Amino acid sequence: MTEKGDPSQKLYTRMRLWEFPDEYVVEPTDGSCGSCMEISRKDGSVKLIDEVPDCSSVRVPKIQKIFGVIGILKLLAGSYVLVITDRECVGTYFGHPIFKVSSMKFFPCDHSLVNSTAEEKNTEAQFKALLNVAETTPGLYFSYDVNITLSAQRLYDLGDETKMLPLWRQADPRFVWNNYIMEQLIDSKLDPFLLPVVQGSFHNFQAAVGKDILDVTLIARRCNRRAGTRMWRRGADSDGFVANFVESEQMIQLKGYTASFVQVRGSIPLLWNQIVDLTYKPKFEIMRIMESPRIVERHYLDLRKKYGNVLSIDLVNKHGGEGRLHEKFANAMQHVAGDDVRYLHFDFHHICGHVHFERLSILYDRIEDFFIKNRYFLISEKGEKVELQHGILRTNCIDCLDRTNVTQSMLGRKMLEFQLRRLGAFDAGESISSYPNLDESFKLLWANHGDDISIQYSGTPALKGDFVRYGHRTAQGVLADGCNALTRYYLNNFVDGTNQDAVDLLQGNYILAVSRDVKPSSQKESTETKASFPLALGLILTGLFFAMLSLRNVGHGLRNLVYAIVWASISLGIAAYVRANGQMFCNRPSLHQSRR
């Protein structure tokens, strides 16, 4: 498992970025003595050069230390190079260091912009603003030495020839966050610079179990096929790829043995959405219901190919808007359910309420047979395969965040206890709670895991995180949930449209070409794009202020009462218009309509 690939395919781990007037030069500084990469600042073209060009005595180039080139994105009037400017080592995966991107920056190759029209310059400036948003993308991880896009079982099964390939060629493209923006570097055959980056989570801890040291790692890998924000990426597309699809791998090392257990989460695989309209819970809209069986079948066919048997746990409410989704999902699952695919509905809110999450034991009792039968991956101290994981637990709620994380943490806990008994670290009657330090660390591990996944999709930490973190609900946790819920409302309605545009730009969902209409819809003249919630709110408050002022002076004449009624009517009229046309006043994506 710890075999290294061909030394000639090694990635550069430290580099210098030279900013010359007409080009950037990326120079390896890790002692590898490799070629430098030159990037034209006029058109973004790249090539290898033997050494850094001589510096002019008139204009000394800026020099910056970088830790990787993530990719190159072409926009209307130029290209932009994304590099890692700072990193943090967060742990190891099979003995190889794993790094988190602490900061990254786009460097422009836009000298051709000087010949562009004023309109093109304005459009390019709007795209640059989206790149500023993209620079703050959370939860990006990478390794120079090991393929972190694959679970331990899939990594073990790689053939010797595949292990000798560059990391980007070994990687699962679903989990390579920079898959699209690496294309130009791939075409130029710049393998030592091609660094696959994963969006997700990486946490680990060590704890004593008797005389043994247990090492526990929890990894999340976010799929890029239907990437985006909470309200602008729901459900599935016509190919069966779902929003917020995340693979979670819990891995332990003990007594020389390595064990891995993989779960997945993902949005309900139907064509549905919730378009923000200023209400707290927008209505669910299910589209093209007749296609549901085909889309569900595609989704589960893909899961079976990649993971084996599937048990799908549906945690949504049985009634209300969620109930409609559950009904359509359950009906569609009848067409795919069989020996290798099972569907189970568990109304989380009805059974567990808001505090009785220990009742998840009811769910476990119903799935224990699948849980034990499909096992986990295990290799011995000699590197020999002992067990294989034959199936996957797929969990969903509406967002696949809060209820899902509570449930997956319970399943991870059960599996860890199962594995520790198998390896002789636990007696039959022992559990994780028998070891306070292990118990506390494990809860924190899954709480941080859930927070990371939630921040990437919704903008806030996970709700119900206090139960995962402490094992019970707390007053502070309930208060934090209220604050996070309000923050989600604000982000969903007034921020996430722009964030979705940034995601679409980097994932190649919106590709610029000179021959197309590249004007973002925010530039196009329409009532919808001119609608401003802050302006409307300001007018409403102004009207109410003058209405109150007039009411205070009613004693001085009937005219003030008329003024008060007029001002109040204006405020109520504006409020009614905003309420009736809520979608117009929300921050909406302008670049790309999700492909269905």
Side-chain angles (χ1 to χ4, degrees):
M1 292 293 294
T2 58
E3 285 183 46
K4 294 187 178 182
D6 183 351
S8 66
Q9 306 289 359
K10 286 283 292 180
L11 289 167
Y12 300 138
T13 58
R14 291 186 306 278
M15 287 151 275
R16 257 195 299 259
L17 179 69
W18 298 71
E19 296 185 50
F20 291 97
D22 296 319
E23 67 272 329
Y24 299 110
V25 174
V26 180
E27 175 196 15
T29 58
D30 56 2
S32 58
C33 301
S35 299
C36 301
M37 175 170 62
E38 181 183 271
I39 308 166
S40 168
R41 298 184 69 169
K42 181 178 180 181
D43 58 10
S45 60
V46 297
K47 65 180 181 180
L48 290 177
I49 57 175
D50 293 332
E51 57 184 16
V52 179
D54 293 333
C55 302
S56 167
S57 58
V58 178
R59 187 172 179 180
V60 178
K62 294 181 181 178
I63 304 174
Q64 181 168 345
K65 180 166 65 175
I66 64 172
F67 300 96
V69 179
I70 296 179
I72 299 176
L73 179 66
K74 182 172 179 57
L75 294 184
L76 177 63
S79 296
Y80 296 79
V81 185
L82 181 59
V83 303
I84 299 169
T85 54
D86 201 6
R87 68 185 182 187
E88 173 191 1
C89 186
V90 293
T92 61
Y93 189 58
F94 289 105
H96 300 293
I98 305 300
F99 297 94
K100 182 178 182 179
V101 176
S102 300
S103 65
M104 56 185 180
K105 182 179 178 181
F106 278 101
F107 285 84
C109 306
D110 58 355
H111 284 187
S112 61
L113 194 61
V114 296
N115 300 319
S116 302
T117 65
E119 183 180 10
E120 288 173 337
K121 290 179 180 178
N122 184 45
T123 302
E124 189 82 357
Q126 294 186 48
F127 289 130
K128 284 184 180 179
L130 295 180
L131 299 187
N132 293 335
V133 174
E135 287 177 346
T136 63
T137 301
L140 301 180
Y141 298 84
F142 64 93
S143 172
Y144 301 109
D145 305 299
V146 65
N147 184 354
I148 61 172
T149 69
L150 299 183
S151 66
Q153 182 166 319
R154 295 183 66 197
L155 199 58
Y156 185 93
D157 289 338
L158 283 182
D160 291 338
E161 290 186 6
T162 305
K163 290 178 182 178
M164 299 298 284
L165 295 174
L167 283 182
W168 72 268
R169 293 190 64 185
Q170 300 178 29
D172 185 337
R174 295 179 302 158
F175 300 129
V176 180
W177 176 79
N178 55 329
N179 197 47
Y180 171 67
I181 58 176
M182 279 202 303
E183 287 182 358
Q184 186 175 346
L185 299 180
I186 292 172
D187 292 341
S188 301
K189 298 180 172 55
L190 301 173
D191 287 348
F193 294 97
L194 285 162
L195 181 64
V197 176
V198 173
Q199 186 177 31
S201 178
F202 187 99
H203 296 281
N204 62 359
F205 71 86
Q206 289 185 330
V209 180
K211 296 181 179 180
D212 298 309
I213 299 298
L214 172 68
D215 191 292
V216 184
T217 300
L218 186 57
I219 306 171
R221 304 175 179 97
R222 177 175 294 281
C223 181
N224 57 30
R225 297 289 170 81
R226 191 161 165 73
T229 57
R230 177 173 173 245
M231 285 299 186
W232 295 110
R233 282 297 177 271
R234 295 292 217 189
D237 62 20
S238 57
D239 293 322
F241 297 118
V242 296
N244 200 25
F245 185 89
V246 179
E247 178 184 281
S248 296
E249 180 183 20
Q250 179 179 292
M251 193 171 75
I252 69 168
Q253 292 177 305
L254 179 72
K255 300 179 180 180
Y257 283 80
T258 298
S260 162
F261 174 61
V262 175
Q263 307 179 65
V264 296
R265 68 179 75 190
S267 193
I268 293 176
L270 303 176
L271 300 178
W272 66 278
N273 57 28
Q274 273 182 291
I275 302 301
V276 291
D277 58 2
L278 299 181
T279 60
Y280 183 71
K281 281 192 175 182
K283 292 180 180 179
F284 295 97
E285 180 184 0
I286 305 174
M287 298 161 291
R288 306 201 318 251
I289 294 175
M290 297 299 293
E291 294 186 39
S292 296
R294 178 186 62 81
I295 292 168
V296 167
E297 184 177 7
R298 281 193 174 191
H299 179 70
Y300 283 89
L301 177 63
D302 185 59
L303 288 181
R304 290 201 304 272
K305 286 180 177 178
K306 289 183 170 64
Y307 300 103
N309 301 322
V310 182
L311 173 54
S312 189
I313 304 171
D314 182 12
L315 301 174
V316 302
N317 300 344
K318 198 171 184 177
H319 303 289
E322 290 190 15
R324 287 182 58 237
L325 268 177
H326 154 64
E327 179 185 354
K328 302 301 181 186
F329 185 24
N331 289 341
M333 284 301 297
Q334 293 178 8
H335 298 273
V336 298
D339 293 337
D340 53 357
V341 177
R342 284 174 52 188
Y343 169 80
L344 175 67
H345 178 250
F346 181 83
D347 191 332
F348 186 101
H349 284 152
H350 177 71
I351 297 172
C352 300
H354 295 287
V355 293
H356 297 293
F357 297 161
E358 71 280 358
R359 293 176 184 169
L360 281 171
S361 60
I362 299 171
L363 170 63
Y364 180 72
D365 289 341
R366 296 170 64 184
I367 66 172
E368 186 176 16
D369 59 334
F370 183 95
F371 193 76
I372 294 174
K373 179 181 178 182
N374 286 277
R375 315 301 288 173
Y376 53 92
F377 179 63
L378 178 67
I379 52 177
S380 69
E381 67 273 21
K382 296 179 181 179
E384 297 171 345
K385 188 162 42 178
V386 180
E387 293 268 12
L388 285 176
Q389 183 172 343
H390 299 291
I392 198 80
L393 290 161
R394 182 203 191 276
T395 307
N396 75 266
C397 48
I398 290 298
D399 298 326
C400 304
L401 297 176
D402 314 316
R403 288 170 279 184
T404 294
N405 203 63
V406 172
T407 302
Q408 287 197 334
S409 68
M410 179 272 292
L411 296 172
R413 188 182 188 90
K414 292 289 187 182
M415 179 53 72
L416 179 56
E417 291 174 343
F418 190 68
Q419 291 167 338
L420 292 179
R421 292 189 190 102
R422 164 69 184 274
L423 297 176
F426 276 7
D427 294 331
E430 286 187 306
S431 65
I432 292 175
S433 56
S434 305
Y435 297 83
N437 289 338
L438 172 60
D439 188 34
E440 181 181 350
S441 297
F442 185 80
K443 289 172 181 173
L444 186 63
L445 181 81
W446 271 96
N448 292 335
H449 183 80
D451 285 347
D452 289 346
I453 294 171
S454 180
I455 288 169
Q456 292 158 23
Y457 189 52
S458 73
T460 76
L463 308 186
K464 305 177 178 68
D466 54 334
F467 178 81
V468 180
R469 191 170 266 105
Y470 306 115
H472 58 85
R473 296 241 61 182
T474 64
Q476 184 179 3
V478 172
L479 181 62
D481 282 0
C483 293
N484 286 332
L486 291 175
T487 302
R488 284 184 184 182
Y489 172 83
Y490 170 77
L491 294 174
N492 295 160
N493 283 277
F494 306 118
V495 176
D496 279 349
T498 299
N499 290 340
Q500 186 63 55
D501 280 339
V503 172
D504 285 334
L505 206 56
L506 260 68
Q507 294 301 324
N509 298 328
Y510 184 85
I511 302 173
L512 291 170
V514 176
S515 59
R516 68 181 289 178
D517 175 17
V518 295
K519 189 185 293 185
S521 62
S522 58
Q523 281 187 299
K524 298 173 184 176
E525 300 296 323
S526 71
T527 305
E528 182 172 334
T529 56
K530 289 185 175 182
S532 167
F533 181 78
L535 176 60
L537 181 62
L539 291 174
I540 292 170
L541 294 177
T542 301
L544 291 176
F545 172 77
F546 282 113
M548 295 295 295
L549 201 64
S550 300
L551 281 175
R552 290 184 61 185
N553 296 310
V554 165
H556 295 90
L558 188 61
R559 180 187 303 175
N560 288 304
L561 178 61
V562 174
Y563 285 160
I565 293 173
V566 170
W567 282 114
S569 298
I570 291 172
S571 294
L572 291 174
I574 295 173
Y577 181 81
V578 171
R579 175 66 184 84
N581 300 275
Q583 292 187 15
M584 292 172 51
F585 293 88
C586 295
N587 179 239
R588 302 166 62 85
S590 60
L591 296 185
H592 171 72
Q593 291 299 317
S594 174
R595 184 171 59 88
R596 287 296 196 177

